[in-house]
Amino acid sequence: MTRSPDAPGQEYAERCYRSSGGIGGGVLLLALAAWLGGDAIVSGEGDTPWLALAALLFAVPLIIAFTLRPAVWAGEERLLVRNPFRTITLPWACVEAVRAGYSSEVLADGAKYQLWAIPVSLRQRKRATRRQASGSQDGPLRAPSDQAIADLGELAERCASNEGAQGRPSVRWAYELMVPSAIGLVLLAVLAAVI
């Protein structure tokens, strides 16, 4: 069992969905920001170090929010969706559908929530469709995102009647990322006006 950091009282089965491409891209972007920003802070002259600090304060939380943060945890009682700026807890009883078209999403209690951690790849979907049509068994017959959505849909149907799966959706905003980024943006605007 793995424990979600956003729901300390809830234990989740070994079902955590994350985008490996997003994580890899985020690590590279953070390394690039540290290299360029660090160089500007250390060797910059005049207002350059302050501009670099403000730019890092603005950019780093955004990079983390859009690349490293998105995750989906599926347990026996609920689906926990961590998107860039909010965390949504969805008890299975309120989940109406889990689907993937051009993006992955879950419908719950009359609202639609995107699943940033399960990106849809149309190329992988076409490749899986070609394999299925040709009868080839040398690879998966479903795109990974479509398989993840199918697994979540089956879990929603199976667990919706559990006693602990009852309730309404709850949303928590990620102020720990929004506030530093907003402060960085204000500092950049002030420094740009002063310079």
Side-chain angles (χ1 to χ4, degrees):
M1 303 286 266
T2 58
R3 190 179 295 273
S4 162
D6 296 303
Q10 171 71 36
E11 286 196 1
Y12 288 85
E14 295 289 332
R15 291 184 190 222
C16 178
Y17 302 91
R18 300 189 83 159
S19 169
S20 55
I23 292 171
V27 169
L28 289 175
L29 284 173
L30 287 174
L32 181 64
W35 176 46
L36 294 176
D39 182 52
I41 291 168
V42 171
S43 60
E45 297 176 1
D47 295 322
T48 303
W50 295 108
L51 279 169
L53 277 173
L56 285 173
L57 188 59
F58 170 66
V60 167
L62 291 178
I63 293 170
I64 291 170
F66 286 98
T67 61
L68 303 179
R69 180 177 160 75
V72 173
W73 282 274
E76 294 297 316
E77 297 179 354
R78 65 186 64 123
L79 180 70
L80 190 133
V81 179
R82 194 169 68 185
N83 282 341
F85 295 116
R86 61 185 182 168
T87 300
I88 305 111
T89 304
L90 302 167
W92 286 119
C94 74
V95 172
E96 298 158 9
V98 184
R99 63 186 185 193
Y102 292 109
S103 66
S104 301
E105 55 195 23
V106 59
L107 303 175
D109 209 29
K112 179 170 56 172
Y113 303 99
Q114 300 294 319
L115 303 176
W116 283 68
I118 307 175
V120 172
S121 170
L122 297 179
R123 185 168 18 121
Q124 289 177 341
R125 187 178 281 169
K126 286 179 185 177
R127 189 179 307 143
T129 303
R130 279 195 306 267
R131 276 196 205 112
Q132 197 170 23
S134 69
S136 172
Q137 298 295 321
D138 62 346
L141 296 180
R142 268 191 177 161
S145 58
D146 292 336
Q147 183 61 52
I149 294 299
D151 293 345
L152 289 174
E154 290 171 14
L155 194 59
E157 287 179 19
R158 189 174 72 238
C159 297
S161 60
N162 291 352
E163 184 179 332
Q166 307 306 309
R168 298 185 53 84
S170 67
V171 176
R172 185 185 71 80
W173 289 92
Y175 294 111
E176 66 274 11
L177 294 172
M178 296 165 66
V179 170
S181 189
I183 291 171
L185 181 61
V186 169
L187 288 175
L188 273 175
V190 168
L191 288 170
V194 169
I195 295 175

